[in-house]
Amino acid sequence: MSNAMESWSNEQVALVDLIDRVIGGGVVIAGDVVIGVAGVDLVYLGLQLVLAPAHEVEQSVAAGRRPA
Amino acid sequence: MLLYAVIPDNATAPDIPGLAGRRLEIIRAAGVAVIVEECSDRFSTTKHEAGAFAKIVCNLAISTSVLPVRFPTVLATRAAVLAQLQAQEKVWSQRLRDLSGLSEVVIRAQWPEAESDDPSITSGTSYLLSRAAVVQRQKTLVAEIRELICEWAREIKVLRSQQGIRLACLVADTDVPPLKGAILRWQEAADCRQAVVSGPWPPFSFAVDQEAMSP
């Protein structure tokens, strides 16, 4: 039998789940972002910044709502 | 400023360093406050930083109720942070009260069959039938686990999973051991069952009241 839960320790599973929730959960707040290349700031954006795992964005777009 | 978590306005800042090595600070408004740290514009957001951020928020949650802020959220000024606090004060203070004494656990459960290297999959049709069977098994497993933990879980969210199922559950701190015990007994009741329970953590998946946001 081949599966991820057998090859990973419980601690590794917990760490993966925790990091997934840190970037996929939590309160979403308006943010600022500076886009730069090679240390040079090119564009400053003051916007509603939503960082979410791609799969949640796909689900939200399909459902016609913002990512949770 | 890097934002860590929304907390009650009467909470105190813990004496621990943040990701940038600076002291954590509290910015307060009427009813709620937020833990922040001064940081540079170019903030590193690797897996290591995300893990360290999580540990800091977990430490914060030991002494007070928290609404974790999604990592990495950076606001340019204190005034911007204060404006957010004032705009969201009612919603956040209510959610803090709702989540007091509650934690999140994540349950992974799966069946033993290999899903991707089944030799019987030789055509597009057989692949689609195989995928439909997997989805049906996932639904059945979700329903089974929901039934198993409904006594303790206040809210449940089905998370995306590559294999098997993954459920985020909001439970009272005192209910974490019996929930873990129930999952362990479920797993031990049949050789083919596998399950892992992670947590308890601060309620990352439940910081926002989805029902309150629904139209």
Side-chain angles (χ1 to χ4, degrees):
Chain A
M1 183 170 61
S2 160
N3 60 60
M5 280 164 58
E6 278 195 333
S7 56
W8 290 5
S9 70
N10 285 2
E11 288 76 18
Q12 287 172 312
V13 172
L15 182 59
V16 168
D17 281 336
L18 182 56
I19 290 176
D20 175 74
R21 292 299 77 212
V22 163
I23 64 172
V27 172
V28 176
I29 296 176
D32 303 320
V33 63
V34 176
I35 299 173
V37 175
V40 178
D41 294 344
L42 297 178
V43 179
Y44 171 83
L45 300 172
L47 75 174
Q48 292 285 328
L49 178 65
V50 177
L51 188 78
H55 61 77
E56 288 196 5
V57 174
E58 289 167 5
Q59 290 172 344
S60 299
V61 169
R65 59 179 170 77
R66 287 173 54 182
Chain B
M1 312 199 80
L2 176 65
L3 277 62
Y4 286 83
V6 178
I7 59 174
D9 64 339
N10 58 359
T12 54
D15 188 20
I16 55 176
L19 289 184
R22 298 187 176 90
R23 199 170 140 267
L24 298 183
E25 303 173 52
I26 294 185
I27 297 178
R28 301 176 197 274
V32 289
V34 64
I35 300 273
V36 302
E37 179 190 15
E38 292 275 3
C39 68
S40 67
D41 292 341
R42 291 178 196 82
F43 186 76
S44 177
T45 54
T46 64
K47 182 177 71 175
H48 174 77
E49 271 79 27
F53 178 91
K55 286 179 182 172
I56 291 170
V57 175
C58 289
N59 275 333
L60 295 174
I62 292 173
S63 57
T64 184
S65 299
V66 300
L67 297 181
V69 177
R70 183 169 298 187
F71 178 79
T73 298
V74 177
L75 293 181
T77 63
R78 287 174 183 275
V81 177
L82 194 56
Q84 287 292 327
L85 278 174
Q86 289 167 340
Q88 302 291 334
E89 185 265 329
K90 284 186 180 174
V91 173
W92 287 346
S93 58
Q94 179 60 51
R95 196 58 179 159
L96 277 169
R97 285 192 291 274
D98 293 343
L99 296 179
S100 178
L102 303 178
S103 296
E104 175 177 346
V105 297
V106 172
I107 300 169
R108 287 175 179 259
Q110 68 182 47
W111 50 90
E113 299 100 307
E115 295 168 8
S116 58
D117 50 0
D118 185 345
S120 68
I121 299 176
T122 55
S123 67
T125 302
S126 59
Y127 172 76
L128 290 175
L129 289 172
S130 159
R131 288 301 305 159
V134 167
V135 170
Q136 188 54 47
R137 281 203 301 268
Q138 285 179 329
K139 287 182 178 175
T140 303
L141 192 53
V142 167
E144 189 174 344
I145 297 294
R146 275 184 186 273
E147 176 73 19
L148 187 70
I149 63 175
C150 66
E151 181 180 345
W152 306 288
R154 311 286 182 94
E155 293 181 33
I156 298 173
K157 285 186 179 176
V158 180
L159 306 176
R160 177 87 171 203
S161 177
Q162 295 291 330
Q163 198 169 21
I165 62 163
R166 211 159 53 104
L167 301 178
C169 309
L170 185 66
V171 297
D173 297 337
T174 52
D175 287 340
V176 173
L179 181 144
K180 285 188 171 183
I183 293 294
L184 183 62
R185 287 191 297 278
W186 175 84
Q187 179 186 236
E188 290 174 345
D191 287 342
C192 63
R193 292 175 177 169
Q194 292 194 340
V196 174
V197 182
S198 304
W201 301 314
F204 291 101
S205 302
F206 304 94
V208 178
D209 184 354
Q210 290 297 322
E211 289 186 8
M213 290 179 66
S214 301

